[in-house]
Amino acid sequence: MNFSRVALLLSLLPSAHAFADTPNREDALKLPDVLISANRQVEQRDASTAANTVFTLADIERLQPTSITDLLNRVPGVQVAQSGGRGSLPGIYIRGTKAAQSLVLVDGQRIANATSADSALQYLNVDQIERVEVLRGSRSVVYGADAIGGVIQIFTRRGAEQGLQARLHTGFGNRGTSQNSLGLSGGNERTHFNLSTSLDETNGINRTGPSFASDADHDAYRNKSYSLNLSHWLNDDVEIGFNVLDNRGKTEFDNPFGLFDPVTFNSVGQQQYSDFELSSLGTYLDARINERWKTRLEVGHSENREKTADKLSDDRYVFNTYRDSVNWQNDLTLDDRNSLTLGADGYEDRVNSSTAFDEDSRWNRAVFVQHRFKGDGFSTELGLRHDKNQQFGSQNTWSGALTIPLNDANDVLFSYTEGFRAPTFNDLYYPGFSNPNLKPEHSKSYEVQWRSRLSETRKLEASLYRTDLKDAIALDADFTPQNIGSARINGFEASLEQQLFGWTGKLGASIIDPEDRDTGHTLNRRARRTLNLDLDRQFDRLGVGASWQAVSSSYNDEANTQDIGGYALFGLRSSWKASRDVKLEFKLDNALDTRYSRTLYSFDGSNHGYREEGRTWMFGVTWTPEL
C-alpha cells in the first residue's frame, strides 16, 4: 500500500472554515438532526455524505413499533423478509444486498454470529432502545468487513438529564400478546444513568399451511431483557461510561422441511424451538485533549448464543459466538476548513458449537484515516482503511465524496466507495460443506445524492446508485461455497418530509434492479419497488397516525421460478395524554387483514408462503412519574 499517495492528496487539498461545535455523543443521542454512525463521531445529518435515516426515542414512541424490524421496513431501500415466526431469522436487504453484507451494531458493538453472519435483530426488545440509525451504502472505510450494503446501529436507552424519572409500561393485545417494561433514569450536571427491564410475550400464529402435523400449532415467543447505561464527566473535558444490554428467551418455529429419518428414508415432522441469548457490554473514555483534538477509546464484548432443540427428538444444535473488540479514534481539527480522523480497531471472534469446526477463533486488526474539507464552493471527504485478518489476509478499502452546494437550499453529492465481506466460519470450516481457500467478497459503489430543503416544513432527499459485486460466495453443485458469483444492483430511492395543516408526513420510495450477472436473473427475495407513508398529527393531548406500506412482487428462488406476490399493508395508531404522568396508546396493524408472505417453502412438491400476521391490535398504558 503506497501511503505517499495519501500524503500527496491531503497536501493538495485547500484549507480554510472550522466546523461548528457539536454536542457530546450522549447528549446527541436525543437529537433528531445529528448523526453518529457515519464517521463514529457526532455530525449534522445534512453534513454527512452517507444516505441515512434516524429514529429517535420520540419517533419510536409515536410509531409504536412491535420490533426493530418494524422500524427498518419504513426506511427507503431497506426490506425485511422473515420466515416462520416472530423470532425467526429476518433477511435484511439494504439496497438489494443480502443480510450478511450489512453490519449491525449495538452501542458500537458487532452482534452478528460468526458462523452464519446472522445479526439476530429479531431478539432486540424495542423497549430498551433510545435511537436507531440506518446508513444506506458501503461504510467499509470506517467499519471494515461486512458494511457493503450499509450499517444499522442501535443505541440503548439513556438517562434523564436532570432529576429522577421512573417509567412503567404495560400493554396487551390479541393472540396472547403482552408487553411490560419498568425503568428508572436520572442525572445531574455530570452523571446520567438508565436502568430498565422488560418482558415481551406472544402466543403467535401457525406460520405454515400445508406441512407436517407437528407444525399445526402456534409459534410462541418470549423475550426477557434489561439494559444499564451510565455516563460520568470527570471534568469538563473527560467523560467515561459503560452500557450493558441483555436479551434472552425462547422462540418456537415451524420446519416444513422436516427431519430426515435414516431408517425409513423419509422426512418426519419436528417441533423445534430455540433458546437464545444476545448481549453486549461496552465501556468508553471520551476526552477533549485540546481545542483541536478529540480522542475516544472503546472496549467491548458481545455474545450471540443460540441452542436449537426438537421436542420430538433428541436433536440439539448449539452455535455461540463470543467477540471482544477495541476501537481508538482521534478527531483532529487541522484548521478552519480541514479535519482529519485517525483510528485503529480490532476484534476477535471465538466460536463454541455443537458442530466441530476446523478453526474456532480468528482476529481482525485495522487502521484507518479520513480527511474532510469544507469550503464555500465544495466539500470533500477522502478515506483509506487497511484491514488484516487472520484467515483472509490483508484488504485495502478506499472511499471518496464530493459535495457541491447549488444554492442555500440544494446540495448535490457524488461518492465512490469500496467494500468487502469476510467469509464466515460456516463458509470456511463447516464440516463437509466449506472451502478454506475462499476470498472476501468485494464491492464498488457509485452514488449521486440530491438534498433539498424546499422550505422550513419540507425536505426532500433522493439517491441514484449502482453497486457492483464480485467474488460473491455461492454454493456450487456439491453445496460447497465458491467465489463464483457476481451481481449488479442499480437503484433509486427518495424520501420526503412535509408538514401541512398540522399534519406531519414522511414518504419513502425505492426502486431497485438487482441482477445476478452470471445468469441474468433477479436476486431472490428482493422486491423491485417499495413505498412507505407515515402520517401523524397531534391535537392537544390526542395524537393520531396512520401508516401504509406497499411492496411489489419478488422471486423466492435464484432461478426466478417461484413467485412471491406483492402486498399492501395499512395501520392506525393513537395516543392520549390522560394526565401529566399517564399516556394511553392503541395501535391496529394490518387493519385490512391482508394475507401475504415474504418467503416460500416447499411441501409435497408444491410451494407455499409462510404466513405473516393478520390484523393485530395492541393497547398500552405508560406511567412516567417524576420522583
Side-chain angles (χ1 to χ4, degrees):
M1 178 173 56
N2 191 347
F3 284 99
S4 63
R5 289 187 297 169
V6 182
L8 176 62
L9 286 169
L10 294 180
S11 66
L12 292 175
L13 290 169
S15 55
H17 188 111
F19 296 111
D21 289 338
T22 55
N24 68 72
R25 184 179 299 219
E26 293 301 299
D27 291 339
L29 288 172
K30 300 179 182 297
L31 303 176
D33 296 326
V34 299
L35 190 65
I36 298 170
S37 304
N39 294 300
R40 286 176 167 170
Q41 60 181 260
V42 180
E43 59 184 322
Q44 291 296 313
R45 288 182 61 192
D46 290 343
S48 174
T49 60
N52 64 84
T53 300
V54 173
F55 297 99
T56 63
L57 180 59
D59 295 323
I60 294 172
E61 292 178 342
R62 172 176 53 84
L63 296 171
Q64 302 178 42
T66 302
S67 63
I68 297 294
T69 56
D70 283 354
L71 290 176
L72 297 181
N73 271 320
R74 290 177 157 87
V75 179
V78 178
Q79 300 179 38
V80 181
Q82 286 184 269
S83 56
R86 166 76 181 276
S88 66
L89 177 68
I92 300 172
Y93 304 98
I94 301 181
R95 289 189 167 179
T97 60
K98 60 186 179 182
Q101 293 167 336
S102 292
L103 178 63
V104 178
L105 307 169
V106 172
D107 291 327
Q109 307 302 315
R110 292 170 176 254
I111 62 170
N113 69 54
T115 51
S116 65
D118 300 328
S119 62
L121 265 177
Q122 72 276 21
Y123 297 145
L124 295 177
N125 195 313
V126 74
D127 282 338
Q128 304 295 339
I129 306 305
E130 176 81 26
R131 181 185 183 94
V132 178
E133 295 186 353
V134 184
L135 310 179
R136 307 186 299 278
S138 174
R139 301 303 291 180
S140 287
V141 164
V142 179
Y143 292 104
D146 309 331
I148 290 177
V151 176
I152 300 168
Q153 178 152 210
I154 296 103
F155 297 92
T156 52
R157 285 258 188 173
R158 262 44 182 187
E161 294 184 1
Q162 295 292 331
L164 285 176
Q165 186 175 70
R167 180 181 184 273
L168 173 64
H169 173 80
T170 184
F172 62 91
N174 56 340
R175 303 186 182 93
T177 301
S178 66
Q179 296 176 342
N180 300 280
S181 63
L182 177 65
L184 178 66
S185 64
N188 55 32
E189 292 181 354
R190 291 198 177 274
T191 305
H192 296 163
F193 79 91
N194 178 81
L195 174 63
S196 58
T197 183
S198 58
L199 175 63
D200 189 0
E201 296 179 295
T202 183
N203 292 336
I205 64 172
N206 178 20
R207 290 283 173 169
T208 54
S211 182
F212 297 98
S214 56
D215 282 342
D217 62 345
H218 289 186
D219 302 313
Y221 173 82
R222 177 184 175 89
N223 187 341
K224 297 179 292 183
S225 61
Y226 72 86
S227 65
L228 171 63
N229 282 276
L230 176 66
S231 62
H232 176 70
W233 287 88
L234 298 177
N235 54 48
D236 291 341
D237 296 319
V238 180
E239 180 189 11
I240 60 173
F242 70 89
N243 44 72
V244 180
L245 175 67
D246 185 273
N247 294 265
R248 61 185 62 199
K250 177 180 178 179
T251 181
E252 298 175 346
F253 58 94
D254 290 341
N255 181 14
F257 305 100
L259 175 69
F260 179 73
D261 188 336
V263 177
T264 64
F265 296 99
N266 294 318
S267 291
V268 295
Q270 296 179 285
Q271 284 191 340
Q272 289 186 298
Y273 65 92
S274 290
D275 292 320
F276 63 86
E277 297 181 24
L278 181 65
S279 61
S280 68
L281 167 66
T283 184
Y284 66 89
L285 182 148
D286 210 335
R288 181 189 292 271
I289 306 301
N290 54 46
E291 292 182 356
R292 295 183 176 271
W293 181 11
K294 291 182 179 180
T295 188
R296 182 178 176 91
L297 177 65
E298 296 179 329
V299 178
H301 176 79
S302 65
E303 298 185 6
N304 187 326
R305 295 186 283 177
E306 190 158 15
K307 179 181 73 175
T308 300
D310 178 18
K311 297 178 182 179
L312 304 181
S313 71
D314 295 328
D315 288 346
R316 297 290 187 274
Y317 307 98
V318 176
F319 291 95
N320 297 337
T321 295
Y322 306 89
R323 179 176 292 113
D324 296 312
S325 62
V326 60
N327 174 65
W328 182 36
Q329 180 163 316
N330 297 273
D331 300 313
L332 306 173
T333 301
L334 302 180
D335 57 34
D336 287 348
R337 297 192 180 221
N338 292 276
S339 65
L340 190 67
T341 297
L342 299 169
D345 62 38
Y347 59 89
E348 181 180 11
D349 292 338
R350 300 182 302 279
V351 172
N352 183 346
S353 172
S354 56
T355 299
F357 290 91
D358 290 339
E359 298 285 346
D360 59 8
S361 67
R362 70 179 181 192
W363 49 258
N364 189 92
R365 299 164 187 164
V367 293
F368 58 93
V369 58
Q370 184 166 267
H371 178 273
R372 304 180 78 184
F373 164 76
K374 183 174 178 61
D376 297 329
F378 68 94
S379 300
T380 61
E381 182 177 279
L382 179 65
L384 168 65
R385 180 185 177 97
H386 176 73
D387 283 86
K388 186 173 183 180
N389 186 278
Q390 186 176 5
Q391 261 67 48
F392 62 79
S394 296
Q395 181 73 31
N396 298 327
T397 310
W398 291 84
S399 71
L402 171 66
T403 302
I404 300 176
L406 302 179
N407 51 43
D408 292 340
N410 293 274
D411 295 331
V412 176
L413 291 77
F414 303 89
S415 62
Y416 166 78
T417 56
E418 297 176 352
F420 68 99
R421 181 180 82 88
T424 66
F425 277 79
N426 282 358
D427 294 330
L428 294 167
Y429 307 120
Y430 197 92
F433 301 95
S434 59
N435 180 358
N437 298 316
L438 287 172
K439 299 181 295 183
E441 299 177 328
H442 295 83
S443 73
K444 294 182 178 180
S445 299
Y446 313 84
E447 182 175 5
V448 179
Q449 297 183 55
W450 172 41
R451 299 178 180 177
S452 179
R453 297 167 293 280
L454 303 175
S455 68
E456 293 184 0
T457 60
R458 185 185 304 169
K459 181 179 179 181
L460 175 65
E461 297 181 359
S463 298
L464 187 66
Y465 61 88
R466 175 185 176 122
T467 299
D468 290 312
L469 296 166
K470 69 174 184 176
D471 297 326
I473 298 172
L475 300 180
D476 62 17
D478 296 322
F479 299 99
T480 300
Q482 304 286 354
N483 289 112
I484 57 177
S486 62
R488 183 268 302 144
I489 304 171
N490 292 327
F492 168 80
E493 61 194 27
S495 63
L496 173 65
E497 297 183 19
Q498 170 76 62
Q499 294 181 13
L500 187 64
F501 304 121
W503 290 86
T504 299
K506 293 187 177 183
L507 176 68
S510 175
I511 301 173
I512 62 171
D513 179 23
E515 179 183 299
D516 184 328
R517 303 198 71 173
D518 298 322
T519 64
H521 294 153
T522 299
L523 298 179
N524 64 323
R525 297 182 180 175
R526 280 82 152 179
R528 288 179 174 267
R529 298 174 302 279
T530 59
L531 185 66
N532 297 277
L533 175 63
D534 283 308
L535 288 174
D536 291 274
R537 183 170 180 179
Q538 190 70 34
F539 298 90
D540 191 20
R541 294 188 295 171
L542 175 66
V544 294
S547 296
W548 183 64
Q549 179 189 28
V551 179
S552 69
S553 61
S554 58
Y555 295 106
N556 187 66
D557 61 329
E558 297 177 356
N560 291 179
T561 61
Q562 303 172 10
D563 293 318
I564 301 176
Y567 59 90
L569 303 176
F570 178 67
L572 297 169
R573 57 184 171 271
S574 65
S575 64
W576 181 49
K577 193 76 172 177
S579 67
R580 186 188 66 177
D581 301 334
V582 177
K583 183 171 70 172
L584 308 180
E585 300 170 323
F586 178 79
K587 69 171 182 174
L588 183 66
D589 289 334
N590 194 0
L592 303 180
D593 202 23
T594 301
R595 296 185 180 183
Y596 68 104
S597 299
R598 286 295 286 121
T599 57
L600 306 181
Y601 66 93
S602 298
F603 186 77
D604 285 347
S606 299
N607 297 316
H608 309 276
Y610 281 105
R611 294 169 174 163
E612 296 295 334
E613 295 241 25
R615 185 183 296 113
T616 60
W617 58 267
M618 194 78 190
F619 175 79
V621 180
T622 302
W623 181 40
T624 53
E626 292 188 7
L627 304 178

